[in-house]
């Protein structure tokens, strides 16, 4: 049974409840002062508390999508990562392969023409040889005969770290929200490419081209758009692409647009930070390369690099988010460039969690749609 399985959660809750009942039932028998009785009381209390916290942890993981599997939880995920293609021709027929398809959950309709479609895909970068899974949302219009020659704008959607791409579909409801907004005429139909910024798990690469390591930024700036363009009817002009993410994904989205404005015409960071951290999950991202480290710092970019011709959106909340003051400072810094365009969503309260981001996603998608072209 997988980590995100409802059966695992149910078993954990039942086990915790059973231990609680056993503790209450056996407590009178363990009320003596012998070392065995004391050890029994301590053991039951520790086991009950451990089972309770395990249940809470599994429930929180299901709600927020921190880890996708047991291997992911224990840092043993090795099935995805950097793949080196020594032959120069993998024989897969292209950099993007569709593994399965499903209708958009929560909307009416039994066909893609009315309900849209979510495709689970594998993507392999031509330049970086990075391989990663993703989900692609195709709006109903993509399958309708009257739009068969039309191209659509595309938005890359990134999770936080560690995050799961599935959570973008099931927990944050990006496809359903995009379809509802388009149906109501509040945004144009748009293709969404949903994945983790962690393209070399379990390492958190912060969308950096790591010297001697994963070339994460190149993957998102070149390989990913190339793979999607080769497979779907996406607009080829620079104004056709946007990018959005939460937390680590939000930082990546802002940085990728600031570094590559000719690729990403607009970027939205939900609860982002503005400088790549260095910690045990990232390792040494820069290998002593000072210029690379500076360019991973959005504050440094605003002061020392030419202002990029792109549009940015940042979000925070006055109570609950730790990035509130930094976000206000970032807005001021972008405004001072007189070229890069900046917008914001500031909530009165909201924590660093899915519930907050679900409140921000609809206006964010509307904002993104208004800045992208379908040609």
């Amino acid at each position: 049974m997988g980590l995100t399985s409802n059966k695992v959660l149910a078993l954990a809750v039942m086990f915790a409840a059973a231990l609680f009942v056993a503790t209450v039932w056996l407590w009178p028998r363990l009320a003596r002062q012998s070392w065995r009785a004391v050890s029994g009381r301590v053991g039951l209390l520790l086991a009950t508390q451990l089972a309770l916290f395990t249940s809470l942890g599994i429930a929180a993981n299901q709600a927020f999508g921190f880890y996708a599997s047991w291997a992911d939880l224990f840092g043993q995920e090795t099935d995805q990562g950097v793949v080196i293609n020594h032959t120069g021709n993998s024989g897969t027929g292209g950099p993007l392969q569709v593994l399965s398809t499903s209708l958009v959950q929560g909307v009416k309709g039994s066909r893609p023409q009315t309900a849209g479609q979510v495709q689970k895909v594998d993507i392999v970068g031509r330049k970086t040889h990075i391989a990663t899974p993703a989900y692609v949302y195709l709006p109903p219009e993509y399958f309708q005969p009257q739009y068969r020659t039309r191209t659509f704008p595309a938005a890359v959607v990134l999770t936080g770290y560690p995050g799961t791409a599935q959570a973008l579909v099931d927990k944050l409801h990006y496809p359903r929200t995009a379809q509802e907004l388009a149906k109501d005429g509040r945004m144009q139909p748009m293709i969404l490419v949903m994945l983790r910024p962690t393209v070399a798990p379990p390492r958190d690469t912060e969308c950096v081209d790591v010297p001697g390591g994963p070339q994460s930024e190149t993957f998102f700036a070149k390989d990913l758009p190339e793979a999607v363009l080769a497979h779907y009817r996406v607009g080829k002009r620079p104004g056709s692409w946007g990018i959005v993410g939460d937390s680590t994904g939000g930082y990546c989205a802002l940085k990728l647009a600031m570094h590559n404005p000719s690729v990403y015409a607009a970027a939205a960071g939900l609860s982002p930070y503005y400088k790549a951290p260095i910690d045990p999950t990232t390792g040494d991202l820069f290998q002593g390369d000072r210029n690379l480290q500076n360019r991973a710092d959005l504050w440094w970019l605003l002061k020392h690099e030419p202002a990029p011709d792109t549009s940015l959106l940042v979000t925070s909340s006055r109570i609950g988010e730790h990035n509130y003051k930094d976000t206000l400072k970032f807005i001021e810094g972008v405004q001072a460039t007189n070229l890069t365009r900046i917008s914001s969503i500031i909530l009165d309260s909201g924590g660093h969690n899915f519930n907050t981001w679900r409140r921000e996603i609809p206006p964010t998608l509307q904002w993104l749609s208004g800045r992208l072209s379908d040609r």
Side-chain angles (χ1 to χ4, degrees), residues 168-185:
L168 297 170
V169 178
D170 295 343
K171 306 296 184 182
L172 291 176
H173 310 305
Y174 269 97
R176 187 176 76 190
T177 303
Q179 182 167 338
E180 290 173 349
L181 291 172
K183 183 178 180 180
D184 293 342

Side-chain angles (χ1 to χ4, degrees), residues 318-339:
R318 294 181 178 87
I319 300 174
E321 284 281 18
H322 296 297
N323 76 334
Y324 175 61
K325 291 183 179 179
D326 280 346
T327 296
L328 297 182
K329 179 182 175 183
F330 183 76
I331 293 171
E332 292 179 359
V334 175
Q335 287 177 320
T337 68
N338 294 318
L339 178 61

Side-chain angles (χ1 to χ4, degrees), residues 114-196:
T114 55
Q117 188 177 84
V118 175
Q119 298 185 348
K120 184 177 182 180
V121 304
D122 271 343
I123 299 172
V124 180
R126 293 290 197 191
K127 295 179 176 64
T128 63
H129 306 295
I130 286 175
T132 188
Y135 291 88
V136 176
Y137 161 70
L138 301 173
E141 291 82 358
Y142 192 88
F143 302 96
Q144 295 171 2
Q146 62 268 37
Y147 296 106
R148 63 183 179 275
T149 61
R150 174 181 171 177
T151 58
F152 294 82
V156 176
V157 184
L158 300 176
T159 70
Y161 176 84
T164 65
Q166 182 74 44
L168 297 170
V169 178
D170 295 343
K171 306 296 184 182
L172 291 176
H173 310 305
Y174 269 97
R176 187 176 76 190
T177 303
Q179 182 167 338
E180 290 173 349
L181 291 172
K183 183 178 180 180
D184 293 342
R186 289 183 285 169
M187 66 173 282
Q188 60 181 317
M190 186 184 303
I191 294 173
L192 303 179
V193 185
M194 299 165 283
L195 68 164
R196 301 197 295 174

